[in-house]
Amino acid sequence: MARARRQSPLALFLAVAALLALALHVALAQKPGACTGACYGVSHDPAVIRRANDGTLFRFSTGGNINVATAPAIQGPWTLRGNALKQGSKINLPGHGADLWAPDVIGPLADGFYYMLYSTSVFGKQISAIGVARSRTLDAGSWEDLGSTGVESRQGAAFNAIDGNFVQDASGKWRMTFGSFWNDLFQTDMASVTKAKQPFRPTNIAFDPNGTRPVEGGFVYKHRDEYFLFFSHGVCCRLDQARPKAGDEYKIKVCKSKNVNGPFIDQQGRLCTQGGGTVLLASHDNVYAPGGQGVFSDAKSGGHILYYHYADKKRGITDGDKTFGWNVLDWHNGWPTVRSA
């Protein structure tokens, strides 16, 4: 009787590596969910929230002093409604233009208001600040600008004060995650939802010591008893002017911790402050440079929803070509995975 041939250790290793590579490709190549209406060109750094009183979905994005779109469902149809802060911000920093970036929206809180963080900055500079506004309805034009949160930076600081994200700790106290390049992501205590605690002593929660330290857009999301730090890694912008080598463009990574302020580790146990980060979603097919992400829990949309922007290579990869993307998140062995919608 013929005996089965025993595979060499090298052959077994190569077979396992091939299976892992296939699994990784499948995990990273999930198509975004359908999107109709105002999805293309008006979705940079989106923030999505459902209005409590009538169930309308609102999407806030970089552009036009935070453009506002609404839809009955995550798939759309999305309709542009105007601007959150048409007159811009009362924060007055030298060299700043009229536009505001990277909104993050929460609420309604006990006082009946929704609150929105926004960034004012100059691309590639550290002269930056994170402001806050409030509204009782979320509607375009209804937002009252409250000015700076006290999270600001100047040239030579350890961080760049943009990309603010609200998160509550286990006791219900508010914290803010923020940062972009330089020493990457930080987190600070808030004295209230509108002001950072003083003295201002932020904690570094993610840092990539390699290259240009391309980490930004931190978003902390609690799932069960763990906190997940989602962040964008790589080159986000001006992709048409200086296209990065494959793999250096934007992608979404994740680390997790038992504590809201870390230490965060990736799926291989690497510290997020030492270059760690598990890739959750990267370029694939016509989806290029996904990032600027957030997560919200919404039963009507299918559960835990990862939303983001990306460039559709069929349409273009300029900064004005960003398209709204979303996927449902599944959880396997304590980690999120992206599912096709």
Side-chain angles (χ1 to χ4, degrees):
M1 184 170 62
R3 289 185 176 182
R5 293 182 60 188
R6 296 181 61 184
Q7 287 185 297
S8 69
L10 177 59
L12 285 171
F13 172 81
L14 292 174
V16 171
L19 288 172
L20 289 174
L22 177 61
L24 181 63
H25 173 76
V26 170
L28 301 185
Q30 301 300 334
K31 293 181 179 179
C35 188
T36 61
C39 304
Y40 167 74
V42 287
S43 306
H44 200 140
D45 298 331
V48 178
I49 188 171
R50 189 178 290 278
R51 186 158 62 187
N53 64 349
D54 65 358
T56 300
L57 280 177
F58 280 73
R59 189 188 69 217
F60 298 81
S61 305
T62 293
N65 285 326
I66 310 299
N67 68 60
V68 183
T70 65
I74 193 72
Q75 300 92 339
W78 289 95
T79 302
L80 281 176
R81 299 298 184 183
N83 317 104
L85 294 170
K86 188 174 182 179
Q87 303 305 315
S89 171
K90 62 177 64 175
I91 301 171
N92 185 20
L93 292 178
H96 283 214
D99 210 359
L100 305 175
W101 302 350
D104 184 50
V105 185
I106 58 168
L109 303 188
D111 60 4
F113 283 101
Y114 295 88
Y115 288 85
M116 175 179 68
L117 294 177
Y118 63 84
S119 302
T120 177
S121 187
V122 176
F123 189 81
K125 303 291 185 182
Q126 285 180 281
I127 304 173
S128 309
I130 296 173
V132 63
R134 67 181 184 178
S135 166
R136 290 191 180 276
T137 67
L138 293 173
D139 291 317
S142 71
W143 290 86
E144 175 191 2
D145 181 29
L146 303 178
S148 176
T149 60
V151 179
E152 301 189 3
S153 61
R154 298 294 184 269
Q155 292 302 127
F159 52 81
N160 189 16
I162 66 171
D163 292 358
N165 163 242
F166 287 117
V167 62
Q168 281 183 297
D169 65 17
S171 69
K173 293 181 180 179
W174 288 103
R175 300 179 67 85
M176 186 199 298
T177 303
F178 66 95
S180 169
F181 287 69
W182 280 270
N183 289 315
D184 297 331
L185 302 185
F186 289 77
Q187 197 179 96
T188 189
D189 291 307
M190 301 291 285
S192 68
V193 75
T194 62
K195 291 294 181 181
K197 185 177 179 180
Q198 299 298 327
F200 182 53
R201 294 171 179 164
T203 301
N204 194 201
I205 61 171
F207 175 66
D208 184 348
N210 302 304
T212 57
R213 305 171 184 172
V215 175
E216 59 186 5
F219 189 102
V220 178
Y221 180 74
K222 188 177 184 182
H223 177 61
R224 296 181 178 170
D225 62 346
E226 295 181 303
Y227 295 89
F228 290 81
L229 172 62
F230 298 84
F231 59 93
S232 301
H233 185 282
V235 180
C236 75
C237 308
R238 301 176 179 177
L239 300 168
D240 58 318
Q241 299 176 30
R243 190 160 181 170
K245 69 178 183 180
D248 283 355
E249 73 278 8
Y250 243 21
K251 64 187 73 64
I252 300 171
K253 291 188 174 185
V254 64
C255 290
K256 73 175 181 177
S257 175
K258 290 289 186 181
N259 302 307
V260 68
N261 60 342
F264 291 91
I265 61 171
D266 68 12
Q267 204 163 357
Q268 285 71 48
R270 298 174 298 178
L271 284 168
C272 217
T273 50
Q274 296 179 8
T278 297
V279 177
L280 179 66
L281 185 67
S283 297
H284 62 89
D285 304 314
N286 290 311
V287 173
Y288 185 64
Q293 72 295 315
V295 180
F296 80 126
S297 180
D298 187 60
K300 292 182 179 180
S301 300
H304 304 276
I305 304 299
L306 173 73
Y307 55 83
Y308 52 93
H309 70 242
Y310 69 95
D312 184 341
K313 290 190 288 187
K314 289 183 177 179
R315 305 190 74 166
I317 61 171
T318 72
D319 289 349
D321 286 320
K322 299 298 192 293
T323 295
F324 180 62
W326 67 274
N327 291 84
V328 176
L329 289 179
D330 290 325
W331 303 84
H332 298 287
N333 299 318
W335 289 90
T337 59
V338 172
R339 186 208 312 170
S340 282

